Amino acid sequence: MPREVDTFLTTVPPGKGRALRPDRTTGPAVEALIAAVAEGRADLPGFWRTVEERGTPLVERIDATDQCAVTFLWRGGNELADVILFADKAADADSYECNRMERIPGTDVWHLTYRMRADWRSSYAIAPVPADPSAASPGPLEEMAAIRRRRSLARAEPADRPAIARWFDAMAHAVPDPRARERLDASWSVVSLPDAPPELWRDAGAGAPGTVEEHSFTSAILGNTRTVWIHEPARRPADGGPWPVLVLLDGEQWAGIPVFPLLDALIERGDIPPMVSILVSAVDFPTRTRELACHDPFVAFLDEELLPWASEGRRLTSDPEHTIIAGQSLGGLTALYAAHTAAHRFGRAISQSGSFWWPAPVGADGETERLTRLLAQADRLPGRVHLSVGVHEWRLLEPTRRLRDTLAQRGAAFDYVEYNGGHDRACWRAGLPDGIVALTGGGARSRTVPAGDGAARTRHA
């Protein structure tokens, strides 16, 4: 098997996709509108004025429960064949029908209500699918969406492939919700229900702005060139000592949010100490799938090339206890792998939605969950780890729990969080500050806070 094919196969998650399956209901506001339409007394302009004032989705508590009716809306008429909600990255044959909005007859109101636990958070987009296919040309799918399309179709039964293709074809029309209260970026809106974990970056206010340098860095070890951002806050270390360091993988994603004002604000408020943050881009998808899969040359690049280079002209710590590496998905796998194989440099690791199923058995002679096995056998464990995973991450949840159990059995120091969400940058954005605080906030404390549906927060000394 050619090396590039083998690498790709080992980074395809095992198992079929499983889309989000919330209970569908009808929210009180839409129920009232449906009744008013039936009785001929509907004030549609007034309804849309209220929606504009409240923002979307409409969130209405369901009495005496921990549930909310979450109503997504779109305004349109006969020019639309369908309106599809995209609030989950997984896809299966039922995705299109399960996420299809209904139109109140005779109105311009399209609606879809989920019954969700009140701590849910998700990014989402809405696809208005034109009735006349020639009326609007859909944009091309983003790179990751196109890859997920190919992967989903490859896994699917032949009879299911047309339905899955229809889902991804609709995704090409997806746009942010124009009335959303929150935005993630130019493509995605965010819904955060009332009991969703608080976001430190929202409460921190504004901090004195630091400096951000953007560099092009060529690695002799890896033989490629990538963009690297270095953020240095305005506030200096209190003792005049060297800078603590945060290395953040998939740096282009975080630079685009952007993460720098968040770090400035958290440092200004004292939630985290002053530290230099180094954001490392992934170059492109093929490079990412190779380098962020327990790839020793990539860890060597970070340790032997990137950090020494970043130290030129600024005094960065060489103490692993004050050096954090953080990543998400394959980056989360790599963050923990770096803390395992280069513990002399990375003493702290944040892994959000880590791909601990890796490698996929189809490309690795049946092997899977390699890092969990390595940690079970290791002579030395990572110094401190912060793990988080969403309860809707069907392929990641159980592998992450098994890795957690392995760390616990070995007596490792770690934090573990399960949140009510999916494989989602909105959840990672909310959780990253918590991870940094946990790994810079002093000694470990043991605590477990139930969060429902098997979710929990645990800290082990």
Side-chain angles (χ1 to χ4, degrees), residues 232-276:
E232 187 173 310
R235 179 172 293 184
R236 318 294 295 183
D239 57 4
W243 289 102
V245 176
L246 168 68
V247 175
L248 191 52
L249 305 178
D250 287 313
E252 69 281 5
Q253 300 289 341
W254 292 101
I257 283 180
V259 74
F260 310 116
L262 159 64
L263 296 169
D264 288 328
L266 296 177
I267 290 169
E268 182 79 15
R269 201 173 74 167
D271 289 317
I272 63 176
M275 61 176 57
V276 165

Side-chain angles (χ1 to χ4, degrees), residues 352-433:
Q352 298 178 280
S353 303
S355 298
F356 298 126
W357 50 263
W358 183 90
V362 67
D365 297 325
E367 183 190 12
T368 190
E369 300 186 34
R370 182 181 299 170
L371 183 54
T372 299
R373 175 179 57 80
L374 292 175
L375 291 172
Q377 300 169 351
D379 294 330
R380 180 179 178 182
L381 294 170
R384 281 281 305 281
V385 179
H386 182 86
L387 300 173
S388 63
V389 65
V391 296
H392 300 303
E393 298 193 80
W394 317 115
R395 299 189 189 98
L396 298 184
L397 187 57
E398 291 306 321
T400 304
R401 287 173 175 173
R402 285 190 285 272
L403 184 137
R404 171 204 61 190
D405 293 345
T406 296
L407 291 176
Q409 291 163 6
R410 294 296 312 278
F414 69 94
D415 305 293
Y416 179 78
V417 177
E418 290 182 6
Y419 57 84
N420 188 13
H423 202 69
D424 194 329
R425 283 194 296 135
C427 299
W428 300 337
R429 180 183 67 175
L432 179 66

Side-chain angles (χ1 to χ4, degrees), residues 35-42:
V37 169
E39 296 169 7
R41 55 179 178 80

Side-chain angles (χ1 to χ4, degrees), residues 97 104 106 187 190 207 239 242 266 309 339 351 428:
E97 293 300 325
I104 300 177
S187 301
V190 177
D239 57 4
L266 296 177
W309 165 78
S351 176
W428 300 337

Side-chain angles (χ1 to χ4, degrees), residues 212-232:
V212 179
E213 300 175 2
E214 182 175 329
H215 299 272
S216 180
F217 185 86
T218 298
S219 167
I221 293 174
L222 298 173
N224 56 29
T225 301
R226 73 191 65 230
T227 303
V228 174
W229 296 263
I230 299 180
H231 171 260
E232 187 173 310

Side-chain angles (χ1 to χ4, degrees), residues 299-381:
V299 177
F301 150 71
L302 297 175
D303 178 21
E304 301 170 19
E305 291 185 322
L306 184 68
L307 288 176
W309 165 78
S311 297
E312 296 174 3
R314 60 178 63 83
R315 189 181 172 203
L316 301 185
T317 187
S318 59
D319 184 352
E321 293 189 6
H322 297 287
T323 305
I324 300 172
I325 182 167
Q328 298 74 37
S329 194
L330 281 174
L333 172 74
T334 295
L336 186 52
Y337 185 73
H340 164 59
T341 59
H344 63 279
R345 194 65 183 90
F346 301 106
R348 303 287 185 266
I350 298 172
S351 176
Q352 298 178 280
S353 303
S355 298
F356 298 126
W357 50 263
W358 183 90
V362 67
D365 297 325
E367 183 190 12
T368 190
E369 300 186 34
R370 182 181 299 170
L371 183 54
T372 299
R373 175 179 57 80
L374 292 175
L375 291 172
Q377 300 169 351
D379 294 330
R380 180 179 178 182
L381 294 170

Side-chain angles (χ1 to χ4, degrees), residues 7-148:
T7 299
F8 180 79
L9 285 176
T10 61
T11 54
V12 177
K16 296 180 180 180
R18 180 183 173 188
L20 187 65
R21 289 287 184 271
D23 292 334
R24 290 183 61 152
T25 183
T26 303
V30 170
E31 277 191 341
L33 180 62
I34 291 172
V37 169
E39 296 169 7
R41 55 179 178 80
D43 177 10
L44 290 174
F47 172 80
W48 284 115
R49 281 195 301 270
T50 300
V51 169
E52 295 284 352
E53 292 169 0
R54 293 174 60 179
T56 49
L58 303 181
V59 178
E60 299 160 293
R61 286 275 191 178
I62 297 174
D63 292 341
T65 72
D66 63 351
Q67 307 285 307
C68 289
V70 186
T71 301
F72 298 88
L73 296 166
W74 189 263
R75 191 171 190 177
N78 294 331
E79 77 281 3
L80 299 178
D82 276 315
V83 180
I84 307 299
L85 176 70
F86 291 90
D88 188 29
K89 304 301 187 296
D92 60 25
D94 297 326
S95 294
Y96 195 95
E97 293 300 325
C98 289
N99 296 280
R100 192 178 192 180
M101 291 191 181
E102 298 178 24
R103 184 182 175 191
I104 300 177
T107 77
D108 59 357
V109 179
W110 296 75
H111 65 98
L112 170 61
T113 302
Y114 287 160
R115 180 187 177 106
M116 300 298 294
R117 206 174 67 213
D119 59 347
W120 183 51
R121 175 174 282 120
S122 179
S123 61
Y124 72 97
I126 298 175
V129 180
D132 179 1
S134 66
S137 299
L141 287 176
E142 295 179 352
E143 182 183 30
M144 283 307 300
I147 291 164
R148 285 192 283 110

